[in-house]
């Protein structure tokens, strides 16, 4: 496997200390909830944590308290909150990079955050307290063991959920089965949004973070809504990249009410599965999914989609495979 972003020497822009006193010139190990004095000097990739948030001021203290202190950067993408979301984030994590999404929807917020990330690895974390940032090291280990993309699953040993209703669980099972049949995968939990992946995979996702939508439209493009997780998984599966599922436990939202609607958003995911299947042919064999974070399956690689945004990416692909 190619060098996946290890840094044996600090880059020039990393030599200064942050406001919290963290020395970014050090190669650090991420351990759950460690203090700055627990840093271990061994090579470790830089992790960018991307958090889309809208009116989550009451939930952020819980989320930020669980983020490993040695992550490289935290990016909060604000959906034009009317509470103190931004101020609370800046108070809790003085180094936080705050940006406002340019359209609407969770998918657009993630696309904006991904485009701004500068770490070697990107971790997607919800701001409602349902995902545990302390699990990031397990996802990173999966990537270091050879995966391109670490996908969270609420199934199996170590996984679970306090939030899944019977309706949502049944819908997730149906959608996962359909997805696996369409894209030759073996995903156990399609509709879970906790994912961590190498930043070099961004061109494969082909997410639009720059286009502005006029006021006379609904303010969203394809992939800007809750269908974003399904869209990401589809494009990863079509690329032939290696995927590892990592057990994760989902908590219930701490404060507030979710904007997720089981029926409406389930239909949106279904539409995404069927639409993307017609849009682009996936390579023979599909994606490979290892059965545990310690597995090492082989996965073929396909060329990046046309129109990729990140020209500075170190993504290594074969370019002899065309797409229709």
């Amino acid at each position: 496997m190619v060098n996946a972003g290890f840094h044996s020497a600090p880059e020039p822009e990393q030599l200064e200390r942050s406001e919290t006193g963290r020395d970014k010139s050090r190669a650090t190990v991420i351990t759950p909830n460690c203090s700055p004095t627990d840093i271990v000097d061994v090579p470790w990739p830089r992790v960018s944590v991307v958090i889309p948030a809208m009116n989550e001021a009451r939930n952020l203290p819980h989320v930020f308290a669980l983020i490993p202190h040695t992550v490289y950067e935290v990016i909060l993408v604000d959906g034009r909150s009317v509470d103190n979301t931004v101020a609370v984030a800046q108070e809790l994590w003085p180094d936080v990079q705050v940006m406002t999404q340019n359209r609407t929807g969770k998918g657009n917020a993630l696309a904006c955050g991904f485009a701004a990330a500068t770490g070697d690895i990107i971790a997607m974390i919800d701001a409602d307290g349902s995902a545990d940032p302390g699990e990031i090291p397990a996802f990173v280990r999966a990537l270091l063991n050879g995966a391109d993309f670490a996908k969270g699953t609420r199934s199996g040993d170590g996984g679970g959920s306090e939030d899944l209703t019977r309706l949502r669980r049944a819908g997730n099972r149906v959608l996962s089965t359909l997805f696996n049949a369409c894209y030759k995968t073996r995903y156990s939990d399609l509709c879970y949004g906790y994912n961590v992946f190498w930043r070099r995979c961004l061109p494969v996702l082909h997410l639009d973070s720059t286009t502005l939508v006029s006021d006379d439209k609904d303010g969203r493009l394809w992939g800007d809504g809750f269908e974003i997780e399904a869209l990401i998984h589809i494009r990863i599966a079509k690329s032939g990249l290696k995927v590892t599922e990592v057990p994760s436990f989902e908590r219930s939202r701490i404060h507030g009410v979710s904007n997720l609607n089981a029926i409406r958003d389930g239909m949106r995911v279904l539409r995404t599965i069927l639409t993307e299947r017609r849009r682009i042919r996936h390579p023979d064999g599909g994606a490979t999914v290892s059965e545990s974070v310690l597995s090492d399956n082989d996965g073929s690689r396909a060329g990046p989609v046309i129109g990729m945004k990140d020209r500075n990416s170190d993504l290594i692909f074969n370019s002899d495979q065309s797409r229709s």
Side-chain angles (χ1 to χ4, degrees):
M1 192 169 179
V2 298
N3 186 313
F6 284 75
H7 297 268
S8 58
E11 298 180 1
E13 68 271 20
Q14 292 178 257
L15 295 177
E16 72 278 0
R17 287 182 177 271
S18 69
E19 296 178 20
T20 57
R22 179 164 58 90
D23 186 351
K24 291 187 178 181
S25 68
R26 304 182 69 180
T28 59
V29 161
I30 300 173
T31 54
N33 310 321
C34 70
S35 68
T37 58
D38 293 329
I39 292 174
V40 181
D41 288 319
V42 298
W44 196 260
R46 302 172 301 179
V47 177
S48 300
V49 178
V50 176
I51 307 175
M54 184 170 69
N55 300 328
E56 299 285 6
R58 291 193 297 168
N59 292 322
L60 289 184
H62 174 81
V63 175
F64 276 69
L66 297 176
I67 297 176
H69 291 199
T70 48
V71 299
Y72 176 67
E73 64 184 357
V74 177
I75 301 171
L76 182 94
V77 187
D78 181 54
R80 299 175 180 83
S81 299
V82 296
D83 64 358
N84 294 324
T85 291
V86 172
V88 169
Q90 292 171 331
E91 179 181 356
L92 294 170
W93 199 280
D95 279 348
V96 68
Q97 179 180 341
V98 176
M99 60 187 306
T100 302
Q101 65 182 104
N102 58 0
R103 296 191 298 273
T104 62
K106 180 181 180 180
N108 170 246
L110 286 172
C112 291
F114 295 167
T118 59
D120 308 302
I121 288 173
I122 296 175
M124 302 164 44
I125 298 291
D126 287 340
D128 60 5
S130 59
D132 181 3
E135 294 176 351
I136 289 176
F139 285 82
V140 172
R141 282 194 294 272
L143 299 181
L144 294 177
N145 284 332
D148 299 298
F149 190 97
K151 182 187 182 307
T153 177
R154 294 164 290 189
S155 301
D157 294 339
S161 176
E162 296 176 343
D163 193 48
L164 271 180
T165 62
R166 288 186 178 181
L167 176 61
R168 288 178 56 203
R169 190 181 300 274
N172 187 23
R173 188 178 299 115
V174 170
L175 291 170
S176 297
T177 300
L178 176 63
F179 184 96
N180 290 335
C182 288
Y183 299 103
K184 301 180 182 180
T185 55
R186 292 186 289 113
Y187 294 165
S188 63
D189 187 4
L190 175 66
C191 302
Y192 188 45
Y194 199 164
N195 303 291
V196 180
F197 56 93
W198 293 106
R199 186 170 64 92
R200 55 189 170 82
C201 297
L202 280 178
V204 165
L205 303 185
H206 197 193
L207 302 178
D208 188 333
S209 63
T210 59
T211 300
L212 300 180
V213 179
S214 60
D215 294 337
D216 60 345
K217 296 185 179 181
D218 63 4
R220 293 189 182 185
L221 299 181
W222 179 245
D224 278 358
F226 281 113
E227 72 275 10
I228 182 61
E229 284 97 357
L231 186 62
I232 287 174
H233 297 324
I234 288 169
R235 292 178 178 176
I236 288 293
K238 287 179 177 179
S239 73
L241 292 173
K242 190 191 317 186
V243 179
T244 293
E245 287 194 324
V246 179
S248 175
F249 191 87
E250 178 188 39
R251 303 289 182 185
S252 297
R253 164 181 277 273
I254 301 174
H255 299 288
V257 179
S258 174
N259 292 320
L260 182 70
N261 180 284
I263 301 298
R264 180 195 65 213
D265 293 309
M267 293 302 296
R268 184 178 296 168
V269 171
L270 175 61
R271 176 180 171 230
T272 302
I273 294 173
L274 299 178
T275 300
E276 286 288 313
R277 186 169 185 264
R278 294 192 302 266
R279 180 170 293 181
I280 305 175
R281 183 183 68 253
H282 60 80
D284 293 340
T288 59
V289 182
S290 61
E291 296 180 354
S292 73
V293 296
L294 298 180
S295 298
D296 189 15
N297 293 335
D298 292 330
S300 60
R301 296 173 182 265
V305 295
I306 298 172
M308 63 182 182
K309 302 293 184 181
D310 187 359
R311 297 294 181 183
N312 296 321
S313 172
D314 60 347
L315 183 63
I316 304 299
F317 280 117
N318 297 323
S319 59
D320 57 351
Q321 191 157 6
S322 62
R323 293 177 177 268
S324 60

